[in-house]
Amino acid sequence: MAYEVEPPKYVRLAQTLQRRIEDGTYEPGSRVPSENQLVQAFGMSRPTVVRALELLKRDGWLESRQGYGTIVRGRPEIVERKDRRGREALERDESQDAGRLIEVGQVAVPARVASALGLPKGTQVLVRRFLVEEGGEAVELVSSYFPAGLAEDTDLGSGTPLSGSTRDHIEARKKVRFDHVIERVSARLPEEREAELLGLPDGVPVLSVLVIACDASGRSLQASDVLLPADQHELEDTYRLS
């Protein structure tokens, strides 16, 4: 059984306001409705509205200007760049990309991925592991996890490489739409099997980029754990100071 966890109210409100910025309802440089107006329009409490606005300010969508209110900044550059990085994991064509599919099957969802997918620990999910290779050497290990309900009536469980991306396949078969990506970066020592596949000497850590693909409501559709040898990769980020 697949479990779905609804995002908190303030997150759902922030997502709604973000979509209105993206579709031009709230244009860059314009003022967003006041807190009172948002409370009345969405039937939410003032603390919920305040948290939603603070979330959008933190992520660079909005800014406060003294004496003028809350201003739309538009789609942040950092969001554009992160989307591109996450898109690479979501749109890989296994039948065309250099590398090989090394595992497909049902597994107990790892704790970190369980949280990302909103599933109880130990829930069975489908995993597809793809080893990316360049010049005959392994450079990246991508483990993509799918809730059981989403994988039903698809070819995700096939042991042969998919033609086209998992994103295209899911959107076509399940009539859902991928909307945005969340990325979480951490470093750790690899498990024995991971080190073997990536050809890493003892003691060399890996960078783990957890790419969480969500629909417009915030529901997680897919989580891909991208492992990179830490001695060969450097991740750089840029953000604004308000």
Side-chain angles (χ1 to χ4, degrees), residues 112 184-188 206-210 225-228:
R112 184 167 179 242
R184 299 173 184 167
V185 182
S186 61
R188 63 174 173 83
V206 290
L207 291 175
S208 170
V209 183
L210 186 62
D225 192 14
V226 182
L227 295 186
L228 308 164

Side-chain angles (χ1 to χ4, degrees), residues 91-113:
E91 298 188 350
R92 171 166 285 111
D93 186 331
E94 296 172 344
S95 67
Q96 299 295 324
D97 280 17
R100 53 195 171 95
L101 187 65
I102 60 173
E103 181 184 349
V104 178
Q106 296 288 329
V107 298
V109 62
R112 184 167 179 242
V113 178

Side-chain angles (χ1 to χ4, degrees), residues 11-215:
V11 173
R12 300 202 304 272
L13 176 57
Q15 290 168 341
T16 298
L17 298 177
Q18 177 182 315
R19 287 194 295 272
R20 293 188 180 184
I21 294 171
E22 292 184 300
D23 68 17
T25 301
Y26 302 146
E27 297 181 350
S30 67
R31 284 188 293 182
V32 296
S34 68
E35 292 177 9
N36 285 337
Q37 290 172 322
L38 291 173
V39 166
Q40 294 175 5
F42 292 95
M44 295 184 177
S45 67
R46 182 177 298 275
T48 297
V49 169
V50 170
R51 290 189 71 184
L53 293 175
E54 288 301 321
L55 181 61
L56 291 170
K57 291 174 187 176
R58 184 201 70 185
D59 290 345
W61 294 88
L62 303 175
E63 66 175 320
S64 294
R65 291 185 187 173
Q66 190 172 2
Y68 197 68
T70 301
I71 307 301
V72 176
R73 298 183 71 170
R75 184 177 178 86
E77 293 179 7
I78 187 63
V79 173
E80 296 281 4
R81 200 177 61 77
K82 283 189 174 182
D83 279 355
R84 289 197 293 271
R85 186 197 300 159
R87 187 176 293 120
E88 183 177 345
L90 298 175
E91 298 188 350
R92 171 166 285 111
D93 186 331
E94 296 172 344
S95 67
Q96 299 295 324
D97 280 17
R100 53 195 171 95
L101 187 65
I102 60 173
E103 181 184 349
V104 178
Q106 296 288 329
V107 298
V109 62
R112 184 167 179 242
V113 178
S115 174
L117 291 176
L119 299 174
K121 293 179 181 179
T123 300
Q124 291 290 303
V125 295
L126 178 71
V127 64
R128 295 183 68 87
R129 296 192 208 280
F130 191 84
L131 188 66
V132 182
E133 297 174 323
E134 292 181 1
E137 294 186 1
V139 296
E140 190 174 314
L141 178 62
V142 183
S143 301
S144 296
Y145 300 88
F146 309 89
L150 195 68
E152 291 176 355
D153 302 319
T154 71
D155 294 333
L156 294 174
S158 168
T160 58
L162 288 178
S163 177
S165 68
T166 56
R167 172 186 176 177
D168 290 341
H169 188 72
I170 292 172
E171 288 187 335
R173 293 293 184 89
K174 305 302 288 188
K175 307 304 179 185
V176 297
R177 182 178 179 275
F178 285 64
D179 180 77
H180 60 278
V181 166
I182 301 168
E183 294 181 7
R184 299 173 184 167
V185 182
S186 61
R188 63 174 173 83
L189 288 175
E191 298 176 0
E192 182 177 352
R193 175 60 172 161
E194 294 169 345
E196 178 184 346
L197 287 169
L198 290 170
L200 299 178
D202 291 343
V204 174
V206 290
L207 291 175
S208 170
V209 183
L210 186 62
V211 180
I212 309 162
C214 307
D215 64 14

